[in-house]
Amino acid sequence: MANFTFQTPRRVVVEAGGSHRLGELARPMAGKNGAAVRALIVTDAFLAGSGVLQRARQSLAEAGFELTEFTGVLPDPSEAVVLTAVSQAAQTGVDVVIGMGGGSSLDVAKIVACLAVPGNPLKLSDLYGVESVRAQRLPLVMVPTTAGTGSEVTSIAIVTTGESTKAGIVNQALLADLVLLDARLTLGLPPAVTAATGVDAMVHAIEAYTSVHRKNPMSDTLARQALHLLSANLLPAFDDGSDLAAREAMLLGAMLAGQAFENAPVAAVHALAYPLGGIYHIAHGVSNALVLPHVMRFNREACAPLYAELAEVVMPGQAGSVEARCTAFIDHMASLTERTRLPLRLRDCGIGADAIDALAAAAMGQQRLLKNNPRPVTEADARAIYQAAW
Ligand SMILES: NC(=O)c1ccc[n+]([C@@H]2O[C@H](COP(=O)([O-])OP(=O)(O)OC[C@H]3O[C@@H](n4cnc5c(N)ncnc54)[C@H](O)[C@@H]3O)[C@@H](O)[C@H]2O)c1
Ligand SMILES: [Fe+2]
């Protein structure tokens, strides 16, 4: 067996309704027995005003935390958003950082936890790249309210650095101390966000399973179980947002997929999705959905046996040749996107055919991801995939 490494946060609590005891769960991390500790919730304005955070706030207050909130997170957070959050944290002083929200809020919280350490010498720009510095951080809690990015269990944070570019921070320091999966927080997630974030999570599982780097028996087990849960529960959660069992399965599935791709990284679907988000501000999950079937058709000659294995995960009992199961798997994934009414073609998102060259050129900038793809992707290949998706 090939050697491998595996990393994940040290403590995960899976408990529907668990945010009513977030204070009790977070208290040991503060490390100041008995004294008041300052907790910062990092979230977005919609969630802050929605009631979703209410039980968590109350619980933190009851546990003796002095609470402040940064509610300025925006989707695909920019450097300006991150720096504003860091300066607010530095002004008020913070002992524990709690990210509550979608991937955007969790990513900002992770960076704040690193840069708001008293006496921190690092700038945001020092963090970009893979393990570029040895960073310290404040105690960090992650409470996702979407079932998608898996950010709660990854050592990754994504920042929008210009008009159309995103930069990744990959750093051990971003792995949280505590993750709380409270599916009750996701009950109000609108159908369109449920679909987009759910497809993102499924792509994490598929790309981890077919990654040519660091794929290992643990990431495979997690990816398979993630895809099983996500594919079986996406439509129930989409059709009836109040279906708690489906929401629990989606939230768990998204986290398992996050643990898989933290250790066996994602590839061409994400590489080709990022320019759509960067240039056209299409939501991350929607961008993934737009290119997914086309990248899978491109990849099949390199990884048909793996897709055939996943066919049996999403359609138990699926029989037939490798080729037949592979086709069934790709068609099944495409049909889920169709059924959840996500846009199917680039042209449906206001993208002209004349944009394809620029998209392909931008995708080539994502070598960090492309190198994990089972089949090498040239710029001409990227153009052909975007053309097929157009
Ligand atoms: N760190 C990682 O490992 C990682 C991985 C993939 C993507 N990302 C990043 O994550 C971000 C995308 O995150 P996302 O897809 O979760 O979206 P998001 O955090 O941008 O949230 C999308 C929308 O959903 C709303 N929302 C969130 N929870 C809700 C709830 N429970 N009820 C109602 N509305 C709710 C938010 O207010 C927001 O308007 C991007 O910036 C992407 O680059 C990070
Ligand atoms: Fe993703």
Side-chain angles (χ1 to χ4, degrees):
M1 189 174 69
N3 298 340
F4 70 94
T5 58
F6 184 86
Q7 60 185 24
T8 203
R10 69 183 76 163
R11 187 154 189 241
V12 174
V13 176
V14 180
E15 183 177 330
S19 60
H20 79 276
R21 60 184 197 96
L22 182 60
E24 166 198 333
L25 293 169
R27 185 76 211 186
M29 271 181 315
K32 288 187 192 168
N33 274 346
V37 278
R38 297 158 301 178
L40 171 70
I41 293 182
V42 176
T43 191
D44 66 43
F46 170 77
L47 287 168
S50 71
V52 169
L53 312 183
Q54 210 39 45
R55 287 154 73 101
R57 288 178 179 133
Q58 200 179 329
S59 163
L60 289 162
E62 282 166 10
F65 285 94
E66 281 170 12
L67 205 54
T68 53
E69 296 186 14
F70 175 77
T71 61
V73 175
L74 296 170
D76 304 303
S78 64
E79 289 190 314
V81 165
V82 173
L83 293 173
T84 309
V86 171
S87 84
Q88 181 184 317
Q91 263 166 30
T92 54
V94 177
D95 301 305
V96 180
V97 178
I98 303 174
M100 290 193 78
S104 301
S105 296
L106 301 187
D107 284 4
V108 174
K110 289 171 169 179
I111 303 171
V112 169
C114 290
L115 296 183
V117 173
N120 160 63
L122 298 174
K123 299 190 297 295
L124 173 56
S125 55
D126 297 329
L127 293 172
Y128 292 128
V130 180
E131 305 295 344
S132 49
V133 283
R134 197 178 166 84
Q136 305 292 314
R137 68 155 168 73
L138 296 168
L140 177 64
V141 183
M142 301 266 94
V143 187
T145 65
T146 61
T149 67
S151 174
E152 65 275 15
V153 287
T154 70
S155 57
I156 306 166
I158 312 280
V159 180
T160 303
T161 46
E163 265 303 295
S164 62
T165 49
K166 281 188 164 193
I169 299 170
V170 182
N171 198 299
Q172 297 267 331
L174 301 185
L175 278 178
D177 297 296
L178 172 68
V179 176
L180 170 62
L181 299 190
D182 176 356
R184 286 198 180 279
L185 303 181
T186 67
L187 290 175
L189 207 54
V193 185
T194 301
T197 49
V199 170
D200 182 30
M202 288 195 285
V203 173
H204 295 156
I206 296 167
E207 295 213 283
Y209 199 71
T210 55
S211 188
V212 293
H213 286 117
R214 296 163 50 205
K215 171 180 161 68
N216 64 73
M218 289 178 80
S219 65
D220 281 352
T221 305
L222 290 159
R224 291 173 66 98
Q225 181 63 12
L227 197 59
H228 168 69
L229 290 167
L230 295 163
S231 64
N233 288 281
L234 179 67
L235 295 181
F238 176 79
D239 289 336
D240 176 7
S242 66
D243 180 342
L244 183 60
R247 292 297 197 183
E248 288 184 278
M250 290 301 293
L251 194 57
L252 178 60
M255 184 194 71
L256 299 178
Q259 289 174 312
F261 90 85
E262 165 70 5
N263 295 283
V266 294
V269 179
H270 274 76
L272 270 71
Y274 274 139
L276 299 173
I279 302 170
Y280 293 97
H281 304 290
I282 297 172
H284 178 70
V286 176
S287 311
N288 274 302
L290 284 164
V291 294
L292 173 65
H294 309 287
V295 173
M296 289 176 80
R297 287 184 193 115
F298 171 81
N299 279 349
R300 68 177 293 163
E301 71 172 51
C303 65
L306 294 176
Y307 284 164
E309 287 171 23
L310 293 179
E312 294 163 65
V313 170
V314 301
M315 295 171 283
Q318 184 73 22
S321 65
V322 164
E323 284 309 316
R325 279 177 289 145
C326 178
T327 302
F329 179 54
I330 296 170
D331 291 349
H332 186 80
M333 295 312 299
S335 75
L336 283 177
T337 310
E338 222 164 302
R339 172 67 168 69
T340 51
R341 298 196 288 277
L342 288 171
L344 297 177
R345 315 196 66 89
L346 300 186
R347 72 179 84 163
D348 301 338
C349 302
I351 299 175
D354 55 352
I356 287 174
D357 286 354
L359 287 168
M364 287 299 108
Q366 299 290 336
Q367 292 302 324
R368 174 177 79 84
L369 304 175
L370 288 174
K371 72 175 197 299
N372 306 315
N373 201 54
R375 183 177 166 192
V377 182
T378 65
E379 193 163 339
D381 294 331
R383 265 198 301 276
I385 294 168
Y386 282 126
Q387 187 64 51
W390 189 78

